[in-house]
Amino acid sequence: MNKAKRAQLERKGWTLGSAEDFLGLSPEEVAYIDLKLALGQRLRAAREQKGVTQTALAKLAKSSQSRVAKMEAGDPSVSMDLMVRTLLAMGVTRKQIASSIAKTSNRAA
């Protein structure tokens, strides 16, 4: 948000902050959310790069298309175990998964 817009909103009584502040999340909760989002993005990128549909990936992962969509969105109902197993099933290497994790820790630092 640009400075002028921010100043205008604050003059009108709005309080601006982050989702972290609004929800009262701990640094660990923020890190966990960032991690799930990063793995979901990695999954979507791998799927699209290989030209695989969500439905086809769901069959490969022995899951459903809606669950794949939730994985890609970082939905809290999806386990990390399922996300990692699905990434590995797509041919994403452990090194690539680690790279996604490392990028989230770089943002937090």
Side-chain angles (χ1 to χ4, degrees):
M1 175 180 304
N2 68 43
K3 290 180 184 181
K5 181 71 172 179
R6 183 180 186 98
Q8 179 184 22
L9 288 171
E10 287 173 341
R11 278 193 306 271
K12 291 184 178 186
W14 289 92
T15 302
L16 303 175
S18 66
E20 175 183 349
D21 295 333
F22 180 73
L23 296 173
L25 300 175
S26 70
E28 295 81 12
E29 291 168 321
V30 172
Y32 184 75
I33 291 166
D34 284 346
L35 179 59
K36 283 193 92 165
L37 291 173
L39 292 177
Q41 290 168 355
R42 172 67 80 169
L43 180 61
R44 182 177 185 160
R47 180 183 62 75
E48 289 177 345
Q49 181 182 18
K50 293 184 181 207
V52 175
T53 64
Q54 287 183 343
T55 303
L57 177 55
K59 287 179 185 174
L60 180 67
K62 297 180 177 88
S63 191
S64 65
Q65 177 277 323
S66 63
R67 185 55 96 196
V68 170
K70 288 179 180 184
M71 281 189 260
E72 291 181 355
D75 189 284
S77 69
V78 177
S79 72
M80 291 289 260
D81 177 62
L82 179 60
M83 290 183 79
V84 172
R85 284 188 292 119
T86 304
L87 282 161
L88 294 170
M90 278 295 299
V92 176
T93 67
R94 288 183 282 179
K95 189 173 186 175
Q96 290 170 324
I97 293 170
S99 173
S100 295
I101 293 169
K103 288 177 185 172
T104 63
S105 64
N106 290 339
R107 284 194 300 258

